[in-house]
Amino acid sequence: MVFVVAVSLAAFLYFVGSNKVSSKNVDITVAGPLTIGSGSDIPLKVIVTNNNNVELQGATIQVEYPQGTRQADNKNVDLLRWNDTLGDISSGESVTKNTNAVLFGEKNTIQSLKITVQYKIPGSNAVFYKEKR
């Protein structure tokens, strides 16, 4: 009887309980200016937090900038995407990355970024991702 109860509890926790892994448990926070002038540097701090119960393995980040964005250190070079490696992110851990770009555009226009974090989890070959706009 004790064995049946133990197996039932283990099955419940495995399928329904706290072992769920979800991209909803990966938070992307962006800190930077809300408004800037055209041609001004936009420094961004991107914080990725793993709220899952398992480690995120081989995590990478990609920031897609709007058309007309330039590299901060060379304004003659377009910057459409910026990629970096986050590595493994343990459960409850946060990783911070900084990026810098120069945005150009017409007066009073709204520009947006797309941030994507890709990762794997232990025991799976699938690649998971979380996006934020």
Side-chain angles (χ1 to χ4, degrees):
M1 181 68 167
V2 173
F3 177 73
V4 173
V5 172
V7 170
S8 299
L9 180 61
F12 175 78
L13 289 176
Y14 182 76
F15 291 110
V16 180
S18 61
N19 282 339
K20 285 191 175 181
V21 177
S22 173
S23 63
K24 292 178 184 176
N25 295 331
V26 177
D27 291 330
I28 302 172
T29 306
V30 181
L34 293 176
T35 60
I36 60 165
S38 181
S40 299
D41 283 13
I42 178 169
L44 296 177
K45 178 192 287 187
V46 183
I47 304 164
V48 178
T49 304
N50 177 14
N51 294 315
N52 284 296
N53 292 330
V54 299
E55 175 180 66
L56 305 182
Q57 297 178 329
T60 61
I61 187 168
Q62 177 176 324
V63 178
E64 292 182 41
Y65 289 101
Q67 195 75 352
T69 303
R70 309 286 182 170
Q71 291 183 4
D73 56 353
N74 186 352
K75 293 182 182 177
N76 294 321
V77 179
D78 287 336
L79 179 63
L80 298 178
R81 287 179 190 84
W82 173 80
N83 299 293
D84 204 353
T85 301
L86 301 173
D88 296 342
I89 306 174
S90 299
S91 177
E93 181 183 12
S94 294
V95 176
T96 301
K97 290 291 182 174
N98 296 307
T99 180
N100 201 6
V102 178
L103 297 179
F104 289 95
E106 294 182 27
K107 185 177 182 180
N108 296 324
T109 59
I110 297 174
Q111 305 270 352
S112 62
L113 308 172
K114 178 181 167 186
I115 300 170
T116 306
V117 175
Q118 291 186 341
Y119 57 92
K120 291 185 176 185
I121 59 170
S124 176
N125 290 330
V127 176
F128 299 91
Y129 70 95
K130 170 76 178 234
E131 288 183 358
K132 181 169 188 167
R133 292 183 183 261

